[in-house]
Amino acid sequence: MRTLQETIKVHYSSLSPGQQKVAAFYIERPQEAALLTAFQIGKQVGVSETTVIRLAYALGFSGYSELQQALRKDWLLPKQDISEVLPSKDGQTNDNQLIRQVILREQALLQNLAEQIKVDDVWAMAETLIHSDRIYIGGFGSSYAAAYWLYYALKQMRGNVVISSPTGFMTEDICDLTTNSAAVIFSFPRYRQDTVQAATIAKEQGAKIIGITDRTLSPIGQLADMTFTSSENEVTDAHSIASIISLLDMLLAGMRIRDCEHIAKRQQQLEHLYAEQQLFSE
């Protein structure tokens, strides 16, 4: 059975503009939405109560009450409000307070990630990357840092992994993808148009698209077959890489468990070559 988040993603492109506003509200502010009436949600979003109710029917629910029940079941989790630990904007925060607030903010992000992640999805992604004949990793601009981190880690574990450049993609790399391939696409604000273009070409080749982004309804989130969000309800002016790396660590741990023999063999081969080349000082 699909979660409400998955249901919204499937139907999002067919919704009216007003219904899309309401759907985005449900995903981005689930705790607030779970406690409001259809009239109150409509007022918050700037649409009519009828539009909110029609969204429930468009998503396949029998009515607004059933939609609310699905929301409460899937998403009503006790989360720390990240805005409470953000640095003050009034200029009154001293240096020591600022450092502590940054640390508390990172802790809150990781706690939110732990509460929203679906373990079955992590295992499914791990299996996909283990059995893919080729993996393409795309990340442009600021998204390239996390993309390269995953690329380097995967190269230690398996072959046939390629990565984009930070400035764009080569069509020749994507051309080699097949129906047995996977494309892991990183996309964080500000969203680049070439990211969607690369993912679209990869999907046309039959590859499974894994989107790693900040929210389900981001451009890549809507396009991907599997979407992982670093912190769905983050309220901040800058995106933290801490939760992204933690998400990737979960993925890599799953791969090591499910494909331990092949990974161990590859790492032994690499260590032999490293020793021959005297690559490391220790």
Side-chain angles (χ1 to χ4, degrees):
M1 179 179 292
R2 290 186 183 131
T3 64
L4 179 56
Q5 177 176 319
E6 292 166 343
T7 300
I8 288 175
K9 179 181 173 181
V10 169
H11 293 278
Y12 187 78
S13 61
S14 63
L15 301 176
S16 69
Q19 290 170 349
Q20 287 182 346
K21 288 182 180 180
V22 180
F25 183 83
Y26 268 95
I27 285 184
E28 295 167 6
R29 298 162 67 180
Q31 289 177 295
E32 184 176 351
L35 302 175
L36 297 179
T37 65
F39 173 79
Q40 290 170 328
I41 290 178
K43 188 175 181 180
Q44 287 271 8
V45 176
V47 300
S48 67
E49 179 181 8
T50 303
T51 298
V52 180
I53 295 172
R54 285 177 178 169
L55 171 65
Y57 294 124
L59 296 178
F61 295 101
S62 62
Y64 178 75
S65 296
E66 187 178 8
L67 171 60
Q68 289 296 89
Q69 289 174 6
L71 173 64
R72 290 163 185 163
K73 177 182 177 182
D74 291 345
W75 293 342
L76 192 53
L77 297 172
K79 297 183 179 182
Q80 181 175 2
D81 185 354
I82 295 175
S83 63
E84 293 178 0
V85 295
L86 288 174
S88 172
K89 295 183 179 180
D90 60 9
Q92 300 301 311
T93 305
N94 64 39
D95 291 345
N96 290 336
Q97 289 175 325
L98 175 61
I99 296 301
R100 177 170 174 77
Q101 286 176 328
V102 171
I103 294 172
L104 291 174
R105 173 180 174 275
E106 297 298 326
Q107 290 177 339
L109 286 169
L110 294 176
Q111 181 61 37
N112 283 359
L113 175 64
E115 291 170 348
Q116 76 183 27
I117 196 69
K118 296 179 178 63
V119 177
D120 289 345
D121 290 346
V122 176
W123 285 118
M125 183 176 174
E127 291 285 351
T128 296
L129 296 188
I130 289 171
H131 297 294
S132 294
D133 60 358
R134 186 176 180 86
I135 298 173
Y136 175 81
I137 300 175
F140 313 132
S142 61
S143 299
Y144 182 79
Y148 185 83
W149 192 94
L150 177 62
Y151 165 75
Y152 187 83
L154 284 179
K155 291 288 282 186
Q156 306 293 309
M157 302 168 71
R158 55 156 295 160
N160 292 328
V161 182
V162 296
I163 189 172
S164 68
S165 79
T167 57
F169 66 92
M170 292 183 63
T171 305
E172 292 80 0
D173 287 335
I174 302 177
C175 179
D176 294 330
L177 300 177
T178 71
T179 55
N180 294 320
S181 304
V184 184
I185 308 296
F186 291 78
S187 181
F188 298 96
R190 298 175 64 185
Y191 307 119
R192 289 176 53 134
Q193 294 181 356
D194 47 1
T195 305
V196 174
Q197 186 179 6
T200 300
I201 297 173
K203 195 160 192 173
E204 290 173 350
Q205 296 296 110
K208 178 166 284 189
I209 309 301
I210 299 172
I212 300 181
T213 182
D214 63 318
R215 58 191 182 91
T216 302
L217 297 182
S218 72
I220 286 299
Q222 295 181 54
L223 182 63
D225 299 298
M226 307 168 67
T227 304
F228 292 83
T229 57
S230 56
S231 50
E232 186 73 50
N233 303 310
E234 183 179 342
V235 181
T236 177
D237 296 331
H239 195 82
S240 168
I241 199 171
S243 57
I244 305 168
I245 298 302
S246 295
L247 176 64
L248 298 179
D249 265 335
M250 289 183 233
L251 168 64
L252 296 173
M255 292 182 67
R256 292 188 188 99
I257 292 172
R258 292 286 172 89
D259 199 31
C260 57
E261 293 185 7
H262 288 100
I263 292 173
K265 183 177 180 181
R266 179 173 176 83
Q267 291 182 336
Q268 287 174 359
Q269 293 173 332
L270 286 172
E271 288 299 330
H272 177 71
L273 292 174
Y274 293 156
E276 284 187 342
Q277 298 173 1
Q278 297 182 343
L279 187 61
F280 299 109
S281 59
E282 295 181 1

